[in-house]
Amino acid sequence: MHSTDPAAGRLAAWAGRSRRAAVVALLATNVVPLVGVLGFGWSVQTLLVLYWLESAVVGAFNFPKIRRAHGAETAASRERARRLKSNGTTVTLPDGPASVPERPVVRPETRGVARFFLGHYGVFWLAHGAFVLAIPLFTGDGGGVGVADLPTLALATGAAVVSHGVSYRENYLADGEWRRVSPGERLYAPYGRVLVMHLTVVLGAFVVSATGAGVGALVVMVVVKTVLDLRAHLREHASDGRPTAERQRPTPE
């Protein structure tokens, strides 16, 4: 009798959608902060600053994804785009292309969507950073980012750039996600991934700072973040690679 575990089946399906190199790069990247905690005495604040910098990397790679997205918009993607405002204005999503090219070329009509994303996500990122830097004021934890942490912090940020670069090359370009995903879907995509992951990490940071927990608690934070990051990565590339009923029914503007 065969065991049927729905969660295990979903994980296998998601893993099948994401190139192995991208998953390995993601896991390797998340090992770096673990080394920082165990080998270099990173504080909870250093971890939060790293994850904040990583969210900038997520946004930076989303810009070329929007520019090269050739999928047709759906009712859901248009509705989500209408919820976003930058300087009091919303964004107009382009109609789907008449034909999809063989190569992932830049679509001129996505320029406005990409610029809107930079403005909106940029404000979101700066507000997130201000909150991260202000956390010690609320927790009374004097631990911050020291000069000695900067080299390993730079290494960890560089590792995040490599990880997301590998995913962009392997999943988005080589695996053809650019053909299926629309600019509107990419416009909204980073927020769900970043918000869920960072809200969980920030909550853990408050608990660690308030209770004075040691290295073990920081290790748990890194592990939880890694699990959430991997889950979000696999979900994202499963949805971008799977033709849903909604994606098969594009809605004209």
Side-chain angles (χ1 to χ4, degrees), residues 1 27 134 184 190:
M1 183 177 179
L27 294 175

Side-chain angles (χ1 to χ4, degrees), residues 59-60 63 66 86 113-123 187 191:
F63 184 86
I66 292 174
S86 180
V113 182
R115 292 178 63 182
F116 178 90
F117 170 76
L118 281 185
H120 191 278
Y121 192 84
V123 172
L187 172 68
Y191 294 96

Side-chain angles (χ1 to χ4, degrees), residues 28 50 55 59 65 69 75 96-97 107 178 182 185 195 232 235 246:
L50 170 62
S55 68
K65 288 181 180 181
R107 288 179 63 190
W178 60 274
S182 71
E185 288 170 321
L195 278 174
R235 273 186 176 275
E246 183 181 47

